[in-house]
Amino acid sequence: MTAAAAAIVSRQQLVLCVDECHLHWGDALGYVWGPQGKRVSLPMTNGQERQTYYGALDVLTGRAFTWSAPGGDSDQTVRFFKALRRRFQGRRMVILWDGASYHRSAEVQAYLQQVNAGGAETAWRIQCVMFAPYAPQQNPMEDVWLAGKTAVRRMWQTLSTFAEVKQGFCAHIEKTIFQFEKLNWYGRLQFI
C-alpha cells in the first residue's frame, strides 16, 4: 500500500468532493396528481427565497457535510475551507471540485499558500484537484444535492416555511450515508 493510500485508510488524509448549490423555496414543490387537463395551483409565499450551501462528500465514508453561506464567491470559499479544517480537526484534505472562477481566485490561492506553507506537495494540508471542465456529472456531490432536494419534495406538504425546507434539506443530507457508484470512480473500493 502506498503512503498516500495508507494516509487515506487511517483517516489522516481525507478525499472530499466539494460543490455549491442554491436551495430555493420552490425546490420543495414537487409533482402532484390532479385532474387530467387541469392546472393545479400551489400557494407560494416567496419564490425568491434562496440559500447557498457549500458541501463536501467524503469519498471513503459516503458522509456529507453542508455549510450555509450568503452566496458563492472567493470569500465564502475561504470561509468554507476554514469550516472544513475545524470540522476535520486540521487533517490533510484532497479537494475534488469544479473550475468555478472563484475556486481559482487570488484570494483562494493566497489562503491555500498560507495553509500549505510552501511545503512539498505531498505534505500540503489542502490539495485541490479539478474535475474536467463542464463535467458536473463527474462530481458525486451533485448527486447529494439532488438527493436533498428530492427529500424535501417528498415532504413538501409538511413544510410551511423556507426555514423548514432548509432544515429538512440539510438533515437529510447529513444523516444519509451515500453509496453512489460514482464514489468508486475515485478509488473508494480500493480503501474499504
Side-chain angles (χ1 to χ4, degrees):
M1 181 180 292
T2 67
I8 292 168
V9 170
S10 68
R11 308 292 292 150
Q12 294 172 353
Q13 179 171 320
L14 307 173
V15 179
L16 304 171
C17 295
V18 168
D19 194 33
E20 304 81 36
C21 91
H22 305 290
L23 180 68
H24 297 265
W25 177 224
D27 286 331
L29 303 177
Y31 297 100
V32 297
W33 291 99
Q36 187 172 359
K38 292 190 178 185
R39 186 181 181 117
V40 176
S41 296
L42 298 172
M44 284 185 61
T45 55
N46 184 353
Q48 299 301 315
E49 288 189 82
R50 112 180 179 163
Q51 176 64 59
T52 298
Y53 289 100
Y54 280 73
L57 175 63
D58 187 320
V59 169
L60 187 61
T61 66
R63 303 293 305 213
F65 166 67
T66 59
W67 184 77
S68 63
D73 60 25
S74 300
D75 180 55
Q76 295 306 316
T77 301
V78 169
R79 290 173 187 253
F80 176 63
F81 277 158
K82 290 176 180 179
L84 283 176
R85 294 201 68 222
R86 281 190 304 274
R87 168 88 177 211
F88 297 115
Q89 295 138 0
R91 284 182 266 177
R92 291 191 342 242
M93 295 179 273
V94 175
I95 304 291
L96 306 174
W97 64 353
D98 62 34
S101 61
Y102 51 87
H103 292 172
R104 298 174 279 118
S105 71
E107 186 176 354
V108 170
Q109 294 308 310
Y111 175 75
L112 291 172
Q113 285 179 348
Q114 174 194 357
V115 168
N116 294 327
E121 188 173 339
T122 56
W124 284 357
R125 306 310 299 161
I126 301 175
Q127 180 181 7
C128 297
V129 178
M130 298 216 181
F131 291 114
Y134 310 107
Q137 66 277 10
Q138 291 183 345
N139 191 343
M141 194 62 207
E142 296 281 357
D143 300 308
V144 171
W145 298 137
L146 179 59
K149 289 181 179 186
T150 299
V152 296
R153 285 183 189 116
R154 288 186 178 137
M155 58 179 149
W156 72 269
Q157 69 277 10
T158 64
L159 304 172
S160 57
T161 67
F162 188 52
E164 291 173 350
V165 171
K166 294 187 295 186
Q167 194 271 333
F169 177 76
C170 291
H172 177 78
I173 289 172
E174 295 205 8
K175 74 175 180 160
T176 303
I177 297 175
F178 295 97
Q179 307 261 347
F180 304 125
E181 176 62 29
K182 203 177 285 185
L183 289 173
N184 299 331
W185 297 359
Y186 304 101
R188 182 172 184 261
L189 289 178
Q190 296 172 355
F191 301 117
I192 57 172

